[in-house]
């Protein structure tokens, strides 16, 4: 009872509830690094034990407990245990953790114990129920390798067998009673005398009492190395039953039954009856038996029945050990199978009375699902390579073919676009073939199990599949592997001798052949997942997106596994391709399940067989992506969760490890592999926030291979502005401690890196001189040395504790570097995969790399910039409007720059704060940092520019006002005189006569007209009227003066062709052009094309023949035609402003009102009220219209989709509208002069918005502005009246007060107060004005919206100023407009998301009429050539297009597969018009690919959304 209690207490001390087993997930998280080798309290023992066991530290058996305070410690122990024992028995810790773990953690634990060369539990009594369990499942991942030497020969055969399947003799040890000798210690001398395979009483940390080991049977295997000093020449299993064998009858009998040899230790037979009867029973069974008598000193005695008795008294352990080895060898080498029944772990499942852990239901269900698949595979007894073709057809030849053709798409020759269409069709055909292959039965079963099994069953299922498949291919593989190893060694030996002879190349070819065999003999779970990905990709390509088919669920199934830590293949190394569709969907599903988590990407590079997988497994407990001995190439990714306690140090949620498999030593295979490995390395390095480079051994030539690849990859990253960091891990170093030696090693490594940098710089056209030029690198901190993995020589050597420490140090370095990084989101990771892969497909990675993350961040920044500039602009418009009114009111005659600065300061400050917040707090702040300085400067420049523009405009207004001063004085004088004359009428008899007819409007009007004409004649007697202009006559005179005949002039006028001059593409009718010779060989492959030389927005620039007279006449008539409306408009305004007669006529209505009032004997106050209201009427309309214009522009800028984003957004809407309207002339305008077409688009959209789509909204804005003006007027009237009354002022003061209150909003021209000096009732005046104002306000509220077109500020013009202030440089090949929102965006190159086919701009094959139908994005990646200008003598290779002249130098044109359907549709839709316009044909090599003709308009418009 006491023992049982102690056991339970011990387990409960580690685990509150016995049912809640620890899963592996808890221990595979990223935890805080362990700083010391002891724990401060026993409750931490389990965590520390598991942690150090995962790190392969065999010292894990003894973890000292050192408390910080001795008092606490003693207090703790007095409550915890009554004995004086000061700590737990190490094996109790191991067994307690074992009992508390779930079966998967147990399996990991036992696998690690096996790697540590420790004995493993074979029979374990349940600590509570005492039921005996055989943990067979925990052995399933262990494989034992040994070498057998055939008797009498030197032939050594290597065997590698899963330990559950290994058939070996079993030697079991038992003890009877308690002894002075350690049985376990004696066993260790038989297996490995330098390592405590079995824990014994003399090991550190051993205590007198142990609670969980008695009755446990442990097993260990001896594996020979095929050397003369091997203890045994074949593999033997040794079993150790702990405790007194007399007390554990059941376990003892099972083992005796299963063993080939039983070895029993006892004190002496005389003393113990029970022992005597037990041993005599064994003697009778005639089974080989060795009795070791502790108190006896006899030598070896062999009985007649072949059993042995040995005395141990006064004998050295080594002598006994040697004798035992001798006897065991003898017994086992006796022929006759009855003597050595073989023991096999799996057979334990058949022993009655034992529960096998695999009998749990979840394991059984997982296994039976796996067995159904295995039965299917084994049915026809096929070899592995045929098997894969039979059951996994998608990922085989068809996928490899698809990958090959897909890569060819990026290296097209000759007739590029047609070639491309052909290849795309081939790709679709392959996808159709894949779909037709239908899903194999194997895949159906596999998917069904993944979908339907519960989580635990699913984990068992996947493990079983892996175990069973491994069994299947092990035999075939091991023979191929052996020959591969042999050949590899031969090649290395030759290579190290620097032997470049034919022998080396022959051996390399042979190695290749074996490698191919190895590849086809490889079959693992990774191939099944590959097939899953291909089924998904093929169906998605043919059927499009679907959520209701079997294949559409695949990414979700894979995502679940990835989240649970299963490795997923990112790049299929065998096909050398990334299945992008599959990977994107898989990552999208992970994001759906977890949210867009932040990850830190750790990339790992290392040559095959360099201990990289062991390192990752030791460091992070990562599963092996590929089973041992496999030859699968690829890039795998695995997710590791960051534990809660680490989240305070790390700014990310997961560590994502990207691991390369199958990177080869370069020189073994020549060029293709070199390219493939470079590709692999560039991909992996580009993805990583940190790259771990694993170097194995100290052989400089092997080191060189990996360094060459790595340096080149980092150099490419530097060029595309990606900046990963790196750590070098140097494994298998003999003496890690020797600091001087390490310094020397580091110096050599740095020398090598610098040397490689110079080599790579030549290949990558870089100026880098040394490694630190291309990456931040500190040779002291970023190079780590790792001890050799094994302590001694395998297969029996345990791992070196120094290795574990080195790996822990590397892990700490990685985590400390990671703590300085914020990582990237899973979405960003997904985009990065796409960007890197797209760039790698092209020949020139640096040239083709397009950083989507960076582009997206920049586009967002552009939209923000547009918002900021709009806020500044609209604020400036308001300021300008106010100052304009002040000038017109005569209250301002100078605009100070400082005043403008002060007025706009507050808005500027707000914007600066917004900018700071944006750059410092946005989630992309790291990416944005590079543009911060530039954008801050741009905003400052924008403010300065706005201020100077407004100042210039207002200075012009002041200048004009000054120029009009004399004129204004004259007008004022006219007005005063007219008022005077009206007043005089009042006293004359005419007024008396008309008094009675005051209500007869007609009579009054008639009388006023006769008086008015007299007044006008009198007032304008001294002024000369402004003459009208005769445009037609002036034009005729100019043309005649230039020497053109009258008949020609009339003929060209009637012809009317001159009106279309700007749209007319072809001017050849006017010009006689000399024939140009064909300047170069224009064979298919070189594609020498040139730009059309006539079609330019400045026709006269390129004309090089005699010009016909018609051209000059048409051009002059065109200019006249364009200028006519502007000239007439200007004349009208001039006449209005300067001609006294015209001016007086405009005042007639106003003075009729005054005349009528006087006739009605109204008071002067009424007349003045009418005069003021008449003067304010136009001003109110102007003010309301200006404010409405600013309001509407703001409304549209913020809410209208085309105007509320960046430059690219506007471009998309312009293109969309062009396609919807299908007007060829508009398209041509857009191609030749995009700014003009964009302005026309803005104008049209604004009109549509105001007058049609949002008329109500416009009316509401207008009404609100009318209300604002009305309340301003009422306020001004009240304030002026109040002030004058309180100060006893006169009408002069009232007028002054009133106009100053309106100065910022309305213009009120001066009214002479002398005619109204008799007014003193200001309250009456105020009411009279209010009365009349109401009707003006009403009229203004129902103003025709057309009036907005006549106001000084117009919404379309405001928006054009805002939206067209951007980059307008066009691509020299295809006229695509640079989509940068910033006007001068240097040093950034011009770029556009998608280019067009260059024929749109008139490019054609020189010497023919064949258009060019190639996209410039495809051309720049091809081997073609072009003539930069129509008169160029030399052609330039497209790949060097930047050298073709200044207009080409600043364009970054990225190969983009010319995906955009829009321009393909355009060419098909307007083929005839384009041919007519340019006079070239879409024929021959310029024929339009038939695929293009299938593109409908809606698809073309939809394709614009891809522009980003």
């Amino acid at each position: 009872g006491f023992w049982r209690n102690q056991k339970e207490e011990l387990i409960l001390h580690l685990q509150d509830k016995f049912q809640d087993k620890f899963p592996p997930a808890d221990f595979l998280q990223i935890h805080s690094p362990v700083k010391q080798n002891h724990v401060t309290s026993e409750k931490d023992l389990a965590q520390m034990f598991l942690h150090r066991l995962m790190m392969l530290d065999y010292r894990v058996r003894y973890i000292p407990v050192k408390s910080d305070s001795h008092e606490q410690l003693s207090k703790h122990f007095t409550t915890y245990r009554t004995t004086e024992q000061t700590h737990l028995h190490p094996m109790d810790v191991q067994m307690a953790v074992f009992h508390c773990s779930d079966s998967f953690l147990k399996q990991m634990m036992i696998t690690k114990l096996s790697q540590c060369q420790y004995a493993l539990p074979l029979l374990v009594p349940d600590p509570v129920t005492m039921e005996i369990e055989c943990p067979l499942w925990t052995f399933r991942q262990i494989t034992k390798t040994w070498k057998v030497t055939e008797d009498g020969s030197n032939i050594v055969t290597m065997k590698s067998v899963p330990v559950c399947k290994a058939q070996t003799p079993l030697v079991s040890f038992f003890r009877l009673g308690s002894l002075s000798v350690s049985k376990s210690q004696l066993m260790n001398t038989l297996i490995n005398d330098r390592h405590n395979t079995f824990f014994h009483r003399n090991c550190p940390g051993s205590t007198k009492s142990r609670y969980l080991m008695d009755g446990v049977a442990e097993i260990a295997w001896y594996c020979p190395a095929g050397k003369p000093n091997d203890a045994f020449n074949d593999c033997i299993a040794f079993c150790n039953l702990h405790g007194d064998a007399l007390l554990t009858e059941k376990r003892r009998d099972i083992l005796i039954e299963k063993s080939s040899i039983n070895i029993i230790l006892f004190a002496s037979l005389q003393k113990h009856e029970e022992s005597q009867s037990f041993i005599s029973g064994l003697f009778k069974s005639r089974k080989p038996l060795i009795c070791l008598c502790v108190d006896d000193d006899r030598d070896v005695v062999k009985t007649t029945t072949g059993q042995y008795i040995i005395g141990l008294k006064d004998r050295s352990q080594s002598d006994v050990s040697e004798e035992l080895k001798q006897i065991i060898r003898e017994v086992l080498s006796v022929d006759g199978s009855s003597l050595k029944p073989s023991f096999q772990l799996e057979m334990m499942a058949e022993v009655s009375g034992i529960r096998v852990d695999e009998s749990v239901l979840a394991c059984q269900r997982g296994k039976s699902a796996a067995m159904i698949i295995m039965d299917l595979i084994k049915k026809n007894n096929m070899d592995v390579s045929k098997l894969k073709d039979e059951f996994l057809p998608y990922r085989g030849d068809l996928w490899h073919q698809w990958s090959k053709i897909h890569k060819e798409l990026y290296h097209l020759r000759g007739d590029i676009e047609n070639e491309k269409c052909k290849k795309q069709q081939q790709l679709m055909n392959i996808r159709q073939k894949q779909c037709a292959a239908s899903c194999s039965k194997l895949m159906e079963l596999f998917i069904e199990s993944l979908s339907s099994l519960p989580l635990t069953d699913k984990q068992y299922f996947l493990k079983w599949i892996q175990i069973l498949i491994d069994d299947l291919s092990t035999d075939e593989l091991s023979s191929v592997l052996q020959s591969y190893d042999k050949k590899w060694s031969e090649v290395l030996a030759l290579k190290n001798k620097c032997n470049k002879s034919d022998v080396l190349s022959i051996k390399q070819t042979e190695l290749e052949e074996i490698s191919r065999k190895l590849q086809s003999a490889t079959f693992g779970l990774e191939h099944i997942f590959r097939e899953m990905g291909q089924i998904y990709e093929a169906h998605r390509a043919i059927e499009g997106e679907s959520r209701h088919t079997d294949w559409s669920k695949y990414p979700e199934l894979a995502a679940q596994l990835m989240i649970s830590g299963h490795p997923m293949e990112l790049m299929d190394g065998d096909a050398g391709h990334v299945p992008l569709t599959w990977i994107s969907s898989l990552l999208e599903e992970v994001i759906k399940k977890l949210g867009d988590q932040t990850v830190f990407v750790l990339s790992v590079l290392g040559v095959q067989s360099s201990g990289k997988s062991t390192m990752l497994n030791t460091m992070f407990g990562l599963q092996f992506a590929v089973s041992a001995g496999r030859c699968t190439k690829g890039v795998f990714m695995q997710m590791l969760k960051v534990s809660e306690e680490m989240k305070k140090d790390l700014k990310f949620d997961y560590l994502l490890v990207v691991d390369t498999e199958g990177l080869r030593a370069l020189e073994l295979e020549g060029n293709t592999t070199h390219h493939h490995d470079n590709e692999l390395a560039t991909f992996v390095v580009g993805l990583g926030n940190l790259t771990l480079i694993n170097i194995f051994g100290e052989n400089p030539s092997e080191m060189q291979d990996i360094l060459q690849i790595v340096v080149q990859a980092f150099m490419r990253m530097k060029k595309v502005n990606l900046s990963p960091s790196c750590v070098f891990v140097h494994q298998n170093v003999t003496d890690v401690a020797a600091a001087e030696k390490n310094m020397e090693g580091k110096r050599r490594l740095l020398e090598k890196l610098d040397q490689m940098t110079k080599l790579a710089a030549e290949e990558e056209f870089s100026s880098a001189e040394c490694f630190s030029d291309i990456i931040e690198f500190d040779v002291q901190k970023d190079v780590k040395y790792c001890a050799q993995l094994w302590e001694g020589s395998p297969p029996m050597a345990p791992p070196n504790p120094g290795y574990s420490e080195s790996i822990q140090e590397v892990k700490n370095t990685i985590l400390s570097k990671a703590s300085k990084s914020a990582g990237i989101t899973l979405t960003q990771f997904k985009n990065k995969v796409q960007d890197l892969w797209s760039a790698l497909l092209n020949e020139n990675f640096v040239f083709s790399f397009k950083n989507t993350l960076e582009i997206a961040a920049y586009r967002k920044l552009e939209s923000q910039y547009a918002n900021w500039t709009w806020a500044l602009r609209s604020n400036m418009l308001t300021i300008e409007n106010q100052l304009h009114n002040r000038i017109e009111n005569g209250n301002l005659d100078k605009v100070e720059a400082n005043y403008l600065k002060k007025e706009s300061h507050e808005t500027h400050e707000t914007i600066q704060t917004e900018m700071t917040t944006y750059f410092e707090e946005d989630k992309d702040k790291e990416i944005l940092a590079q543009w911060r300085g530039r954008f801050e400067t741009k905003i400052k420049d924008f403010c300065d520019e706005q201020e100077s523009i407004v100042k210039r405009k207002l200075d012009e207004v002041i200048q004009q006002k000054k120029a009009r001063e004399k004129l204004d004085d004259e007008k004022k004088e006219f007005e005063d005189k007219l008022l005077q004359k009206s007043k005089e009428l009042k006293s004359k008899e005419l007024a008396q006569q008309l008094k009675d007819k005051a209500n007869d409007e007609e009579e009054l009007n008639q009388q006023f007209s006769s008086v008015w004409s007299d007044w006008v004649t009198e007032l304008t007697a001294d002024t000369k009227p402004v003459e009208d202009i005769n445009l037609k006559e002036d034009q005729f005179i100019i043309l005649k003066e230039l020497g053109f005949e009258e008949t020609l002039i009339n003929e060209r006028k009637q012809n009317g062709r001159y009106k279309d001059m700007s749209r007319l593409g072809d001017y050849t009718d006017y010009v006689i052009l000399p024939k140009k010779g064909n300047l170069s060989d224009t064979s298919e492959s070189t594609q020498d094309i040139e730009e059309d030389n006539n079609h330019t927005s400045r026709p006269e620039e390129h004309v090089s023949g005699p010009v016909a007279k018609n051209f000059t006449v048409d051009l002059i008539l065109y200019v006249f035609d364009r200028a006519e409306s502007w000239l007439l408009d200007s004349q009208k305004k001039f006449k209005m402003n300067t001609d006294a007669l015209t001016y007086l006529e405009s005042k007639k209505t106003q003075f009729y009102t005054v005349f009528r009032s006087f006739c009605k004997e109204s008071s002067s106050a009424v007349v003045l009220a009418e005069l003021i209201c008449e003067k304010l009427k136009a001003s109110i309309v102007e003010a309301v219209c200006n404010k409405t214009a600013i309001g509407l522009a703001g409304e549209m800028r913020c809410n209208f989709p085309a105007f509320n984003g960046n430059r690219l957004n506007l471009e998309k809407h312009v293109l969309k509208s062009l396609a919807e309207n299908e007007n060829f002339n508009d398209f041509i305008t857009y191609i030749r002069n995009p700014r003009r077409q964009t302005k026309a688009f803005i104008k049209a959209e604004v009109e549509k918005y105001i007058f049609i789509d949002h008329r109500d909204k416009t009316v509401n804005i207008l009404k609100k502005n009318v209300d604002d003006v009305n309340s301003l007027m009422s306020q001004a009237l009240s304030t002026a009246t109040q002030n004058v009354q309180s100060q006893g002022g006169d009408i002069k003061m009232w007028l002054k007060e009133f106009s100053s209150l309106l100065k910022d909003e309305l213009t009120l021209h001066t009214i002479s107060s002398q005619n109204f000096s008799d007014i003193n009732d200001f309250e009456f005046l105020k009411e009279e004005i209010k009365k009349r104002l109401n009707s003006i306000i009403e009229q203004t509220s129902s103003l025709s919206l057309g009036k907005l077109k006549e106001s000084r500020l117009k919404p379309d013009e405001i928006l054009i100023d805002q939206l067209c202030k951007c980059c307008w440089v066009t691509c020299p090949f295809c006229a695509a407009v640079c989509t940068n929102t910033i006007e001068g965006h240097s040093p950034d190159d011009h770029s556009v998301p998608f280019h067009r086919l260059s024929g749109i701009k008139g490019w054609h094959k020189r010497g023919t009429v064949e258009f060019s139908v190639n996209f410039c994005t495809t051309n720049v990646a091809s081997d073609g050539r072009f003539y930069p200008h129509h008169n160029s003598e030399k052609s330039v290779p497209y790949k060097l297009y930047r050298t073709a002249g200044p207009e080409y130098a600043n364009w970054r044109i990225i190969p983009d597969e010319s995906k955009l359907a829009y321009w393909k549709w355009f060419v098909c839709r307007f083929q005839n018009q384009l041919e007519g316009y340019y006079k070239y044909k879409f024929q021959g090599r310029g024929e339009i690919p038939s695929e293009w003709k299938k593109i409908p308009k809606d698809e073309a418009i939809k394709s614009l959304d891809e522009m980003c």
Side-chain angles (χ1 to χ4, degrees), residues 842-1026:
N842 287 289
E843 239 167 299
N844 186 334
F845 171 82
V846 173
F847 171 62
S848 319
F849 182 74
K850 181 176 168 186
N851 191 335
T852 313
L853 301 180
E854 206 166 271
I855 291 168
Y858 189 75
R859 294 273 180 253
K860 219 170 80 187
L861 176 58
E862 282 185 317
S863 297
Q864 285 296 333
Y865 176 77
N867 293 340
W868 296 328
T869 52
W870 173 251
L872 293 166
R873 185 186 294 277
S874 58
N875 175 53
M876 212 34 123
L877 280 169
T878 311
I879 296 168
E880 181 195 341
N881 208 18
Q882 289 173 351
L883 296 180
H884 189 279
N885 288 328
R886 277 190 210 177
I887 293 165
E888 287 297 346
N889 281 328
N891 295 326
L892 185 68
D893 55 7
K894 191 171 185 218
V895 177
E896 296 287 350
N898 281 345
Y899 177 80
L900 291 173
K901 257 193 178 38
K902 197 174 85 192
E903 286 295 293
S904 59
H905 178 71
E906 196 180 324
T907 312
H908 192 188
E909 285 285 291
T910 312
I911 298 299
Q912 278 185 319
T913 312
E914 275 182 36
M915 281 179 82
T916 306
T917 310
Y918 183 74
F919 279 111
E920 287 173 6
E921 291 175 21
D922 189 82
K923 65 179 173 59
D924 296 322
K925 57 177 182 271
E926 274 88 2
I927 300 174
L928 292 168
Q930 60 183 308
W931 302 302
R932 182 172 182 170
R934 211 182 310 163
F935 271 74
E936 283 173 347
T937 310
K938 284 282 170 201
I939 286 288
K940 188 180 175 308
D941 293 349
F942 182 83
C943 280
D944 295 347
E945 188 187 16
Q946 284 298 302
E947 284 160 18
S948 67
I949 288 173
V950 167
K951 186 172 179 343
R952 195 181 66 238
K953 276 190 191 170
L954 294 174
D955 285 347
E956 278 173 20
V957 175
I958 292 169
Q959 215 176 337
Q960 281 177 355
K961 188 156 176 64
K962 281 180 180 165
R964 288 198 323 255
E965 233 164 44
K966 186 166 171 278
L967 207 62
D968 287 345
D969 289 346
E970 277 178 21
K971 288 179 185 175
K972 191 167 170 290
E973 205 179 308
F974 283 150
E975 277 189 34
D976 286 348
K977 284 180 183 171
L978 286 169
L979 263 174
Q980 198 60 43
K981 289 192 176 297
S982 302
K983 217 168 177 189
E984 283 167 10
L985 267 181
K986 194 175 180 180
S987 55
K988 289 187 182 167
E989 57 278 10
L990 178 62
Q992 294 301 317
Q993 290 166 20
L994 291 173
K995 199 168 77 172
D996 308 329
K997 300 176 181 173
N999 292 328
D1000 185 345
E1001 201 68 41
E1002 205 176 313
E1003 178 70 28
L1004 274 177
N1005 209 336
Q1006 215 175 335
Q1007 288 294 341
F1008 175 70
S1009 292
S1010 66
V1011 175
W1012 177 256
S1013 56
D1014 294 343
W1015 290 351
V1016 169
T1017 310
E1018 188 186 326
L1019 289 171
T1020 57
D1022 304 333
T1023 56
K1024 195 180 167 196
V1026 175

Side-chain angles (χ1 to χ4, degrees), residues 536 540 555 580-590 830:
Y536 178 78
R540 173 93 182 254
L580 258 190
T581 312
W582 165 246
I583 294 299
S584 300
S585 301
L586 165 61
L587 290 168
E588 275 159 24
E589 284 298 333
V590 172
K830 183 189 81 174

Side-chain angles (χ1 to χ4, degrees), residues 318-427:
S318 60
D319 291 351
V320 177
S321 173
E322 284 310 313
E323 279 171 2
L324 274 176
K325 285 178 191 172
Q326 185 59 41
I327 295 168
I328 293 167
R329 280 197 294 267
E330 264 175 41
V331 173
L332 294 178
S333 62
V334 174
D335 287 325
S337 57
S338 62
L339 280 175
K340 50 170 191 181
S342 263
F343 165 77
Q344 193 180 13
L345 258 183
E346 275 190 334
M347 306 315 286
M348 295 299 281
E350 292 161 23
V351 178
S352 64
I354 293 181
R355 181 168 65 84
V356 174
D357 59 353
E358 288 180 0
S359 61
V360 296
L361 278 172
C363 182
Q364 286 301 310
R365 285 194 294 262
K367 185 175 184 178
S368 59
M371 285 308 292
I372 296 170
I373 290 176
M374 292 316 292
D375 293 344
L376 179 73
I377 288 174
K378 288 176 179 168
K379 200 162 70 180
N380 297 328
N381 215 1
M382 281 185 266
D383 74 14
V384 174
S385 52
K386 288 207 182 81
L387 234 164
K388 289 195 287 191
D389 294 340
E390 171 78 16
F391 292 113
L392 311 175
Y394 282 73
R395 50 99 258 144
D397 287 343
L398 287 172
W399 162 234
H400 285 222
Q401 254 175 303
W402 190 94
S403 301
K404 184 171 169 286
I405 294 169
H406 188 250
K407 280 190 172 175
E408 285 168 9
L409 266 181
Y410 294 83
H411 306 285
L412 296 165
R413 304 278 176 271
D415 195 352
I416 291 177
E417 289 303 326
N418 280 302
E419 271 296 300
K420 180 177 288 177
C421 285
K422 268 186 219 155
K423 295 221 180 288
Q424 280 165 340
Q425 195 48 54
Q426 286 173 339
L427 291 177

Side-chain angles (χ1 to χ4, degrees), residues 512-581:
E512 267 307 281
E513 195 45 52
I514 301 171
S515 175
R516 271 192 287 278
K517 268 190 202 161
L518 197 55
Q519 209 119 19
S520 61
T522 301
F523 182 31
L525 205 47
E526 62 269 24
H527 294 97
I528 296 180
F529 281 115
R530 237 178 231 183
E531 180 77 357
M532 241 173 113
Q534 280 314 299
I535 294 172
Y536 178 78
E537 288 212 323
H539 285 279
R540 173 93 182 254
I542 299 301
E543 297 166 33
E545 277 190 69
S546 160
R547 301 301 292 162
H548 311 291
T549 48
D550 286 343
W551 57 265
S552 63
K553 308 280 187 298
Y554 290 6
E556 189 188 350
L557 294 173
Q560 282 168 344
L561 294 175
M562 187 172 162
I563 291 166
S564 65
H566 202 283
M568 282 291 155
E569 190 172 47
L570 191 54
M571 179 197 226
D572 174 345
D574 293 336
H577 218 85
V578 174
L580 258 190
T581 312

Side-chain angles (χ1 to χ4, degrees), residues 172-378:
S172 294
F173 279 69
F174 309 91
R175 76 169 160 87
L176 308 179
S178 60
L179 307 172
S180 59
V181 174
S182 167
K183 162 172 54 71
S184 300
Q185 198 168 358
L186 177 63
M187 290 182 77
N188 290 344
T189 61
L190 299 178
I191 296 169
N192 181 355
D193 54 4
R194 289 198 222 127
H195 185 58
N196 293 317
T197 309
F198 294 95
F199 190 89
H200 56 82
R201 63 183 69 161
N202 302 321
C203 287
S206 178
T207 60
K208 283 181 187 148
S209 50
R210 58 183 190 191
Y211 303 102
L212 296 173
M213 273 310 282
D214 284 343
V216 172
E218 285 190 304
I219 189 166
W221 283 263
Y222 173 81
C223 296
K227 291 181 180 163
N229 62 350
D230 288 341
F232 309 101
N233 60 5
D234 206 338
C235 181
I236 299 176
F238 287 89
C239 185
N240 181 3
L241 179 61
H242 291 278
D244 187 348
L246 296 170
L247 303 173
T248 52
E249 191 180 342
K250 176 90 183 135
R251 276 151 279 178
R252 179 190 73 202
D253 293 349
I254 290 167
L255 291 174
I256 289 171
E257 170 64 31
K258 290 278 170 196
S259 301
S260 305
I261 303 173
N262 289 305
I263 299 177
I264 296 172
L265 279 86
F266 50 86
S268 76
L269 289 174
Q270 287 77 23
K271 291 180 187 168
H272 210 290
E273 236 173 82
E274 206 179 331
S275 306
Q276 261 176 332
S277 60
F278 168 61
I279 289 168
S280 59
L282 285 177
F283 271 111
K284 283 174 197 157
S285 76
R286 299 213 160 200
K287 196 170 212 181
L289 172 73
I290 302 170
C291 292
L292 301 177
C293 189
V294 176
D295 298 339
D296 203 322
D297 57 0
R298 73 180 94 181
D299 278 344
V300 179
V301 176
K302 184 176 179 184
T303 65
T304 49
T305 51
Q307 281 118 338
Y308 296 80
I309 300 170
I310 305 174
L312 299 184
K313 196 174 180 187
D314 303 330
R315 304 278 298 280
S316 79
Q317 201 169 38
S318 60
D319 291 351
V320 177
S321 173
E322 284 310 313
E323 279 171 2
L324 274 176
K325 285 178 191 172
Q326 185 59 41
I327 295 168
I328 293 167
R329 280 197 294 267
E330 264 175 41
V331 173
L332 294 178
S333 62
V334 174
D335 287 325
S337 57
S338 62
L339 280 175
K340 50 170 191 181
S342 263
F343 165 77
Q344 193 180 13
L345 258 183
E346 275 190 334
M347 306 315 286
M348 295 299 281
E350 292 161 23
V351 178
S352 64
I354 293 181
R355 181 168 65 84
V356 174
D357 59 353
E358 288 180 0
S359 61
V360 296
L361 278 172
C363 182
Q364 286 301 310
R365 285 194 294 262
K367 185 175 184 178
S368 59
M371 285 308 292
I372 296 170
I373 290 176
M374 292 316 292
D375 293 344
L376 179 73
I377 288 174
K378 288 176 179 168

